[in-house]
Amino acid sequence: MLKNVSVVGAGTMGNGIAHVFAMHGHQVTLVDVSEQALEKALSTIEKNLDRMLSKGSITEADKAATLSSIQTSTSLAAGVGSADLVVEAATERVELKLKIFKTLDQHAPGHAILASNTSSISITKIASVTNRPNRVIGMHFMNPVPVMKLVEIINGYSTDPRVTEQIVQLSRDLSKVPVVVNDYPGFVANRILMPMINEAIETYFEGEAGVEEIDTVMKLGMAHPMGPLQLADFIGLDVCLSILQVLHDGYGRPKYAPCPLLVNMVQAGKLGVKSGEGFYVYTPGSKDLVVSPRLMR
Ligand code: NAD
């Protein structure tokens, strides 16, 4: 069993990944360069466990056991020293990931599998900076991790099929549904999702319909739980832009060119939920969905 799991990066995704592994009997070390991020992650995990407790889906003992299975570290080298599996969920920047994987390769035990939760960066490229490309794989969890069932498993060019099989089995053990795909830009999830989000932005940009109208058509007409513009805000407009750039660079096809409005919004710091404004404005404590006044027609 891959008992000891180190999760690198304690942000939106890292705290959820740590939560899920700890709840399923793994010893977790959560690593971040920021002490503040680690504290915030632990309090988010506790809040999410409390929500599960109040719904009756876990007991007080489950909550206590989960929390006691998570330790934290601000040192990457020390934090992965006894890992059987590392799941990297640090900021989506190629140079950063390459640097992290070089360090992981030096300090994680030789048998450890090194996985990345990247949304779009090539697993083959990440693997190429290590001396164990056959033990590097993509393990792409969805947000929010404790809730979403899918794990998109990405085989790098050199990933050993036995490693893929171990990660498939592990994902099932975490009560997730694994889907194995090959390593090409955007993988499957974002290759399909991001052009849809971009098209929704173009539809607004070209004046065909307003923000609410576009989201309502997709919610009520296509049974999407969230409209594409609201979903873009939830994912982060900077993240959407960077994935579209990866698709555009990787395939060289004009259909992946990001809408100029998306580029402008990111340049203006309007990143969606995390910055308080994107296609909608987000007021702490309010669940109302209010279109950004800048985008009202
Ligand atoms: P985030 O910005 O919320 O968190 C990133 C964390 O990484 C921060 O706490 C930061 O301090 C930490 N970090 C930066 N450099 C580090 C280093 N050298 N060592 C350790 N920690 C470091 O980002 P996120 O949204 O959680 O995304 C993390 C990864 O997950 C990215 O690769 C992203 O593409 C992917 N992802 C995100 C989503 C999503 O909806 N947000 C969904 C699927 C996958």
Side-chain angles (χ1 to χ4, degrees):
M1 184 191 174
L2 300 165
K3 178 77 180 161
N4 295 330
V5 178
S6 298
V7 178
V8 177
T12 311
M13 297 302 287
N15 83 67
I17 295 169
H19 172 147
V20 167
F21 275 106
M23 230 175 63
H24 287 82
H26 295 266
Q27 282 299 324
V28 175
T29 306
L30 187 53
V31 182
D32 203 291
V33 281
S34 150
E35 187 69 61
Q36 212 186 346
L38 289 168
E39 279 165 23
K40 191 168 165 218
L42 288 180
S43 89
T44 303
I45 293 170
E46 186 159 8
K47 218 168 48 195
N48 289 337
L49 288 168
D50 281 337
R51 191 173 310 127
M52 296 173 88
L53 192 60
S54 68
K55 284 187 185 157
S57 50
I58 59 167
T59 63
E60 276 287 356
D62 295 331
K63 178 187 161 187
T66 301
L67 288 175
S68 71
S69 302
I70 303 174
Q71 51 177 2
T72 61
S73 171
T74 50
S75 156
L76 190 53
V80 302
S82 58
D84 301 310
L85 167 70
V86 180
V87 181
E88 172 276 322
T91 315
E92 186 80 342
R93 283 208 326 267
V94 180
E95 292 316 316
L96 175 69
K97 302 242 187 228
L98 299 183
K99 193 168 151 230
I100 289 175
F101 272 78
K102 268 188 205 158
T103 310
L104 293 181
D105 193 35
Q106 280 164 16
H107 296 279
H111 73 271
I113 295 174
L114 308 181
S116 176
N117 185 55
T118 178
S119 306
S120 62
I121 296 168
S122 161
I123 298 301
T124 306
K125 184 171 189 162
I126 290 174
S128 72
V129 300
T130 73
N131 291 312
R132 60 179 102 181
N134 56 331
R135 301 190 71 70
V136 176
I137 193 163
M139 200 174 183
H140 185 201
F141 289 88
M142 305 290 136
N143 184 16
V145 183
V147 177
M148 299 294 278
K149 280 282 172 206
L150 179 70
V151 182
E152 188 177 32
I153 294 172
I154 301 111
N155 271 331
Y157 196 84
S158 308
T159 308
D160 183 335
R162 286 168 299 185
V163 168
T164 308
E165 197 35 56
Q166 265 182 292
I167 296 298
V168 163
Q169 192 48 53
L170 171 70
S171 304
R172 293 197 180 115
D173 294 343
L174 297 174
S175 303
K176 301 289 185 199
V177 178
V179 174
V180 180
V181 308
N182 288 324
D183 181 26
Y184 288 101
F187 316 134
V188 169
N190 284 316
R191 180 175 177 169
I192 296 173
L193 176 65
M194 287 303 156
M196 186 192 69
I197 286 178
N198 201 36
E199 195 62 30
I201 302 172
E202 295 274 5
T203 304
Y204 170 82
F205 183 59
E206 291 174 6
E208 193 173 338
V211 170
E212 261 180 316
E213 286 73 14
I214 292 167
D215 275 354
T216 304
V217 166
M218 297 306 285
K219 269 192 292 194
L220 303 188
M222 317 298 155
H224 289 194
M226 227 185 241
L229 301 175
Q230 187 189 356
L231 180 58
D233 276 359
F234 183 67
I235 294 169
L237 299 190
D238 53 338
V239 176
C240 294
L241 177 60
S242 97
I243 299 172
L244 280 162
Q245 281 160 342
V246 167
L247 286 168
H248 194 231
D249 293 348
Y251 291 107
R253 296 177 195 157
K255 70 172 181 176
Y256 296 120
C259 177
L261 174 61
L262 174 64
V263 177
N264 258 0
M265 289 175 79
V266 172
Q267 275 168 353
K270 307 299 176 194
L271 307 181
V273 177
K274 64 183 162 193
S275 74
E277 184 182 335
F279 290 95
Y280 297 89
V281 282
Y282 300 90
T283 314
S286 163
K287 288 199 165 160
D288 293 344
L289 209 50
V290 178
V291 176
S292 159
R294 281 170 238 274
L295 302 175
M296 293 292 273
R297 291 210 193 273

